[in-house]
Amino acid sequence: MAVIVLGERGHLPQLTLLACTVHEDRSEAQGYILHRAVSRARLLPRMAKDAAGHWQVPRGTLLARVPRLLPPQGQTGHVSLHVPLTVPLARRGR
């Protein structure tokens, strides 16, 4: 089981997948934290913190096809514990 943080290069994380099981073609999370709305489905790379504590996207990182995720109206962030989310993994060049 793992925690996977997804986001775009040059930004803070958008989505954290909690209690993940990673398979060859997908990642299954038992819950998630939505830091910023994902207004349309998109490919998001896995992020990691560097030695200075800044979020970076390492070369050759995992890419996930994240569906459209919006927080409930009036909320800036959203935590969904015990709400499973499966995101397909994408291969580079496809």
Side-chain angles (χ1 to χ4, degrees), residues 74-87:
Q75 289 187 7
T76 55
H78 183 64
V79 177
S80 292
L81 299 175
H82 309 294
V83 177
L85 178 66
T86 300
V87 293

Side-chain angles (χ1 to χ4, degrees), residues 38-68:
V38 180
S39 57
R40 60 183 172 85
R42 61 184 347 150
L43 282 175
L44 289 178
R46 183 176 189 167
M47 299 183 87
K49 277 194 175 180
D50 62 13
H54 297 63
W55 287 103
Q56 301 292 328
V57 175
R59 289 184 183 265
T61 191
L62 168 115
L63 289 173
R65 294 183 191 280
V66 177
R68 182 176 187 224

Side-chain angles (χ1 to χ4, degrees), residues 3-65:
V3 172
I4 298 175
V5 179
L6 300 170
E8 296 174 301
R9 184 179 308 279
H11 296 282
L12 293 174
Q14 277 187 268
L15 180 66
T16 300
L17 303 175
L18 305 171
C20 292
T21 304
V22 179
H23 301 277
E24 187 174 315
D25 62 339
R26 70 193 182 285
S27 179
E28 297 174 347
Q30 300 302 313
Y32 63 89
I33 300 171
L34 183 62
H35 303 283
R36 288 188 298 137
V38 180
S39 57
R40 60 183 172 85
R42 61 184 347 150
L43 282 175
L44 289 178
R46 183 176 189 167
M47 299 183 87
K49 277 194 175 180
D50 62 13
H54 297 63
W55 287 103
Q56 301 292 328
V57 175
R59 289 184 183 265
T61 191
L62 168 115
L63 289 173
R65 294 183 191 280

